[in-house]
Amino acid sequence: FFWKEHYLDYKLLKKKLKLVKAANAKGDVEEQQRKAAQFRACFDAELEKILSFYRYKEGEIKVWIDDLLADLEKCEDLTTRLSYAPNAMADVTMLESRHKQWLEFARDLIHTLRYVRLNITAFRKILKKANKHGVDGDAEQLGEAARLHIHIDHPTEASTRIQHFSNLPQEHGDELQRMQQHAYLLEVADCVPEAIDTLQQCTRQGKHAANMVLKFPQSRVGSRIRARNCIAQADRLLQDINN
């Protein structure tokens, strides 16, 4: 299971809720409030852990994308260099050696999208259970500490929204919303398959051109431009999100 330690610890939070439920059954208000506070502290810690890892993965993907763009530029440059520069074959060999790396990146991207989906679902489910037991951390309970109003939308039911108050800083709520939407990841996921296919075709055609001492074929120019423009659009989206 990829990155297991970075996922929401759903079992731990369920155990915390069972203690709240037991206190409710006994009618012990003071115990219920204490156990509810423990649940909220645990939830906040889990939320911080997940947002921190998502932030790291998004940054890592941005670095991968910069490298992918650089390779696409090398690929485009080969269209003119192979016809007159024998040493351009070194770039073809380099691009060929990086194909496995780009496939690993694609798999990593898939796991990141899965990570987002599963954790958002887990957040929604555990908060729904918490609300049933009166542990929604409402503003009255937390008083001035209720700095963050969390809301998690259902993926298919627009009218369904789970709400929760937390004492985490407001920027955590903004990051959670960003993770729920994960617009940059989705944009990148649309671009990467064609970009990787384009690079693979580029190396095949480059090797053929070099062996046959022919001008580099132009048939994939459209694909290279589409792939590069698509990734550039994803980069602009990320800049808009950060601003």
Side-chain angles (χ1 to χ4, degrees), residues 17-35 133:
L17 279 181
K18 284 183 179 180
L19 296 176
V20 175
K21 186 178 179 180
N24 283 336
K26 292 189 296 184
D28 189 334
V29 177
E30 186 177 337
E31 178 72 2
Q32 190 275 345
Q33 292 178 345
R34 185 163 57 250
K35 296 302 180 184
H133 297 304

Side-chain angles (χ1 to χ4, degrees), residues 163-182:
Q163 304 189 74
H164 181 78
F165 285 89
S166 167
N167 62 1
L168 290 173
Q170 179 58 47
E171 53 263 28
H172 284 64
D174 297 336
E175 286 192 68
L176 180 58
Q177 283 298 104
R178 174 173 171 160
M179 180 175 168
Q180 284 191 77
Q181 296 167 357
H182 54 283

Side-chain angles (χ1 to χ4, degrees), residues 84-113:
Y84 64 82
N87 63 344
M89 191 58 196
D91 282 342
V92 175
T93 304
M94 183 276 293
L95 289 173
E96 185 178 33
S97 69
R98 286 167 67 84
H99 179 66
K100 183 177 180 181
Q101 177 181 333
W102 293 126
L103 292 179
E104 290 174 357
F105 166 58
R107 284 191 289 268
D108 189 83
L109 181 59
I110 291 171
H111 287 302
T112 303
L113 290 168

Side-chain angles (χ1 to χ4, degrees), residues 8 43 47 50 119-127 152 176:
L8 180 79
F43 175 86
L47 177 58
I50 287 167
N119 277 296
I120 293 299
T121 299
F123 274 136
R124 187 175 64 251
K125 288 185 174 181
I126 200 65
L127 288 182
I152 299 179
L176 180 58

Side-chain angles (χ1 to χ4, degrees), residues 223-243:
S223 295
R224 289 194 294 276
I225 293 174
R226 283 197 305 273
R228 192 182 66 229
N229 289 346
C230 183
I231 292 174
Q233 182 178 343
D235 269 354
R236 287 194 296 272
L237 174 64
L238 182 61
Q239 290 173 5
D240 291 342
I241 291 171
N242 288 333
N243 292 334

Side-chain angles (χ1 to χ4, degrees), residues 38-98:
Q38 290 174 0
F39 169 84
R40 286 193 294 272
C42 186
F43 175 86
D44 286 353
E46 289 295 303
L47 177 58
E48 285 192 287
K49 175 186 77 176
I50 287 167
L51 291 178
S52 176
F53 186 68
Y54 178 74
R55 197 182 310 121
Y56 163 76
K57 291 304 296 181
E58 192 177 63
E60 185 179 59
I61 287 169
K62 177 64 172 65
V63 172
W64 278 90
I65 287 299
D66 288 344
D67 288 345
L68 186 57
L69 271 174
D71 280 1
L72 284 169
E73 289 175 2
K74 285 189 178 72
C75 181
E76 189 165 350
D77 185 47
L78 287 173
T79 61
T80 55
R81 291 178 59 215
L82 272 173
S83 60
Y84 64 82
N87 63 344
M89 191 58 196
D91 282 342
V92 175
T93 304
M94 183 276 293
L95 289 173
E96 185 178 33
S97 69
R98 286 167 67 84

